[in-house]
């Protein structure tokens, strides 16, 4: 697939919007907090000491995972996985089908960046933990200190791997994938150094050609065979492809948007 580097460098935000992006204002009623494009947020896992889906009905099941207060990014806790037998996942069909547009975003703090292609956050059309990535997965895994992204198309699997998308152990990273109906875009930001890499991949398929029934999520797993050792926080699935300005708001110059 053709890949064009849009922007790379040390900046305050993603793309050309810097630290002035700020956070959305708090919502009204019951002290609720409004986040970026909340009306289009289908699923939201905050991991504040539970596996509840704050927006949908895809509460997760965890195999041995715990919650960390010491290494949290937002709220009271983060999901803490040991990279051996820990993962969190939804039931088949619990996640809204990714359909024609989507944005996946999450924060990840890997404690190890080795392993056999361990999954980070993967939405798949298959029920098996390690069976859905090669032809029916949308999301991200990592390998040899680099992120690898997947966008599932009906006619084949799109993926991108590059030395331009490194991750560092014991640092929080903001990762996002968007599909706007025509282009798949991938972002990675190191919240410690403010290093941002923005990439765009232009799949050759038609605008709405997304693999059907991508409706299950795996967190810390769902890759080829390995599991991630580290923490996850603020995992989201939107039903639209967020713009660069909107992703800046979610990223919040490394502070998030809530």
């Amino acid at each position: 697939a053709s890949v064009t580097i849009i922007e790379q460098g040390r900046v305050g935000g993603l793309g050309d919007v810097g630290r002035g992006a700020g956070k959305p204002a708090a919502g009204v009623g019951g002290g609720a907090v409004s986040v970026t494009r909340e009306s289009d947020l289908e699923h939201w896992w905050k991991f504040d000491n539970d596996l509840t889906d704050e927006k949908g009905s895809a509460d997760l099941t965890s195999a041995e995972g715990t919650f960390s207060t010491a290494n949290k990014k937002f709220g009271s806790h983060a999901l803490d996985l040991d990279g051996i037998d820990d993962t969190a996942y939804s039931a088949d069909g619990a996640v809204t089908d990714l359909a024609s547009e989507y944005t996946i975003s999450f924060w990840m703090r890997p404690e190890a960046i080795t392993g056999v292609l361990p999954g980070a956050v993967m939405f798949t059309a298959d029920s098996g933990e390690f069976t859905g990535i090669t032809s029916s997965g949308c999301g991200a895994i990592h390998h040899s200190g680099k992120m690898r992204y997947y966008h599932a198309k009906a006619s084949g699997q799109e993926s991108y791997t590059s030395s331009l998308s490194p991750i560092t152990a014991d640092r929080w990273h903001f990762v996002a994938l968007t599909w706007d109906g025509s282009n798949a875009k991938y972002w990675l930001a190191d919240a410690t150094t403010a290093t941002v890499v923005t990439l765009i991949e232009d799949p050759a398929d038609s605008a709405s050609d997304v693999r059907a029934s991508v409706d299950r999520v795996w967190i810390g797993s769902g890759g080829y065979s390995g599991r991630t050792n580290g923490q996850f926080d603020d995992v989201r699935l939107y039903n639209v492809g967020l713009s660069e300005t909107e992703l800046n708001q979610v990223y919040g110059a490394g502070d998030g948007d809530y």
Side-chain angles (χ1 to χ4, degrees), residues 45-116:
W45 297 278
K46 296 168 64 177
F47 300 126
D48 284 340
N49 207 31
D50 61 40
L51 298 168
T52 302
D53 179 357
E54 301 287 338
K55 297 297 291 184
S57 57
D59 292 352
L60 304 180
T61 297
S62 179
E64 306 299 330
T66 59
F67 296 96
S68 171
T69 56
N71 293 319
K72 64 183 177 66
K73 180 61 179 172
F74 307 109
S76 61
H77 296 76
L79 180 66
D80 192 4
L81 306 176
D82 66 5
I84 301 172
D85 55 6
D86 292 359
T87 184
Y89 54 91
S90 72
D92 260 343
V95 171
T96 302
D97 193 341
L98 271 58
S100 59
E101 291 190 35
Y102 67 81
T103 296
I104 299 166
S105 71
F106 61 94
W107 295 79
M108 180 179 77
R109 179 185 180 274
E111 293 188 4
I113 52 177
T114 58
V116 184

Side-chain angles (χ1 to χ4, degrees), residues 5 9 11 14 34 36 38 42 48 56 61 63-64 76 92 96 101 104 109 111 116 124 153 185 190-191 200 215 239:
I5 301 174
V11 296
L14 298 169
S34 175
T36 305
E38 187 167 359
E42 293 281 355
D48 284 340
T61 297
E64 306 299 330
S76 61
D92 260 343
T96 302
E101 291 190 35
I104 299 166
R109 179 185 180 274
E111 293 188 4
V116 184
T124 73
K153 302 187 299 181
K185 298 181 181 181
D190 184 323
I200 181 172
D215 56 13
N239 61 17

Side-chain angles (χ1 to χ4, degrees), residues 72-228:
K72 64 183 177 66
K73 180 61 179 172
F74 307 109
S76 61
H77 296 76
L79 180 66
D80 192 4
L81 306 176
D82 66 5
I84 301 172
D85 55 6
D86 292 359
T87 184
Y89 54 91
S90 72
D92 260 343
V95 171
T96 302
D97 193 341
L98 271 58
S100 59
E101 291 190 35
Y102 67 81
T103 296
I104 299 166
S105 71
F106 61 94
W107 295 79
M108 180 179 77
R109 179 185 180 274
E111 293 188 4
I113 52 177
T114 58
V116 184
L117 297 168
V121 173
M122 286 296 302
F123 291 82
T124 73
D126 292 296
S127 58
E129 182 177 0
F130 302 117
T131 61
I133 187 173
T134 56
S135 61
S136 58
C138 296
I141 66 174
H142 58 95
H143 179 62
S144 298
K146 304 178 185 68
M147 294 303 297
R148 178 178 292 186
Y149 309 97
Y150 288 85
H151 168 68
K153 302 187 299 181
S155 64
Q157 180 70 61
E158 286 296 316
S159 64
Y160 181 77
T161 305
S162 169
S163 59
L164 293 174
S165 53
I167 56 175
T168 303
D170 302 320
R171 289 183 181 176
W172 280 104
H173 300 77
F174 175 71
V175 183
L177 305 84
T178 68
W179 169 253
D180 63 6
S182 299
N183 295 293
K185 298 181 181 181
Y186 311 121
W187 283 267
L188 174 70
D190 184 323
T192 300
T193 64
T195 299
V196 175
V197 176
T198 304
L199 307 170
I200 181 172
E201 183 166 357
D202 187 13
D205 278 358
S206 62
S208 61
D209 192 8
V210 179
R211 172 76 155 78
S213 301
V214 177
D215 56 13
R216 185 176 197 178
V217 65
W218 296 89
I219 297 175
S221 185
Y224 277 97
S225 62
R227 299 182 176 96
T228 294

